[in-house]
Amino acid sequence: MPFQQSIRLNEAQRGIFIALGANRPYRRHTPFENLQHALQLLSEREVSVLSCSRPWRTPAWPDPSQPPFLNAVAQIAWEGEDPTALMQILHEVETACGRVRSVRNAPRTLDLDLIDFKTRVRAPKTGNDLALPHPRVNDRAFVLLPLREIAPHWRCPVSGDFIDTLISRLSWTDRKDCRPAGGVLHAATHRLKRGAT
C-alpha cells in the first residue's frame, strides 16, 4: 500500500497530523466514502495529504447503540503557520461533507480534528479556543492506533512520551474495540502524483 508509509523520526516530530471520523452516510456516500471525499477536498484546498492510515472501526461513544465509527489519521503538509486558519479549512471540509453541529458526541457524517501541529503546545484561552496538541489525543485508541501506523516514532509534545507508551496506558477494552476495518484510503496529492516514496 504505497499511500500508507511509515514516517521517519524527524518527520514525525515536525509534522501536522489530523484525525478523521465518520459514522453517518451523507447523501449516497457511506462513512468510508465520506473519509475518502474529505481527503480529496483537503487536496483541493492546498492541503497535501502525505500519508494516511487504514480505516479503523470503533464503537460509538458514549452510546454504543449508535452506528460504529470509521476512523483514520493522516499526515498533511500545509504552507500556513496559523493552526487556527487550518482548523477553518477542516471545518469547511466537514461542512462540505454534510456535517451539522448539534449535541456533543452526536452521530456525524465527518469529524476532522487537528491532533498535532508541528509539535506546538497551545493552551486555550477560552472554551472554544484551539488547544494543541488535541487535549484528548492520549486517551483515544481510535487516534493512537491509526497514528502509530503512519508515525511509529511520534511523541506527545506535552509529556514527551512515545506513542507505544501512550497506547500501553489505554485500557484493554479500548484497544481491542478499535480494529482495522478493511480498505485503503487514497488522496490525489501532488506528492503522490509525482511518485514520491
Side-chain angles (χ1 to χ4, degrees):
M1 291 183 289
F3 192 53
Q4 178 190 319
Q5 301 172 15
S6 180
I7 298 168
R8 296 186 298 272
L9 178 61
N10 288 341
E11 292 178 358
Q13 290 309 304
R14 66 173 183 265
I16 304 173
F17 297 92
I18 62 170
L20 305 89
N23 74 332
R24 283 187 57 203
Y26 178 57
R27 296 180 176 162
R28 296 183 181 181
H29 294 168
T30 65
F32 177 88
E33 291 168 332
N34 290 345
L35 299 186
Q36 181 68 67
H37 189 49
L39 295 174
Q40 183 63 45
L41 290 174
L42 287 169
S43 297
E44 293 171 5
R45 286 163 171 78
E46 299 182 4
V47 176
S48 298
V49 181
L50 303 180
S51 187
C52 189
S53 73
R54 296 173 290 178
W56 289 64
R57 187 177 309 279
T58 310
W61 185 91
D63 184 358
S65 68
Q66 295 174 353
F69 270 87
L70 284 184
N71 296 100
V73 171
Q75 184 193 18
I76 62 172
W78 180 63
E79 294 298 321
E81 287 298 324
D82 180 4
T84 303
L86 177 58
M87 276 305 306
Q88 182 60 43
I89 295 172
L90 299 185
H91 288 158
E92 290 173 8
V93 171
E94 287 178 336
T95 300
C97 289
R99 172 76 183 265
V100 176
R101 295 184 183 278
S102 59
V103 299
R104 188 176 175 87
N105 299 315
R108 64 210 75 162
T109 59
L110 182 65
D111 187 22
L112 298 177
D113 285 324
L114 183 55
I115 298 303
D116 183 4
F117 190 94
K118 303 179 181 180
T119 71
R120 290 191 194 171
V121 176
R122 174 175 165 169
K125 296 176 183 175
T126 67
N128 293 327
D129 233 6
L130 176 65
L132 290 171
H134 191 286
R136 292 175 295 282
V137 62
N138 294 352
D139 303 322
R140 293 179 164 178
F142 61 84
V143 173
L144 292 176
L145 293 173
L147 177 58
R148 182 173 60 180
E149 276 191 348
I150 61 170
H153 304 294
W154 185 82
R155 298 175 74 169
C156 173
V158 175
S159 68
D161 290 331
F162 280 102
I163 192 165
D164 281 338
T165 300
L166 299 173
I167 290 172
S168 73
R169 294 176 184 153
L170 297 171
S171 74
W172 170 245
T173 300
D174 286 348
R175 282 184 280 168
K176 76 177 179 62
D177 284 348
C178 186
R179 293 288 181 213
V184 179
L185 294 165
H186 297 278
T189 69
H190 298 298
R191 179 177 176 185
L192 294 174
K193 284 180 178 177
R194 289 199 304 265
T197 57

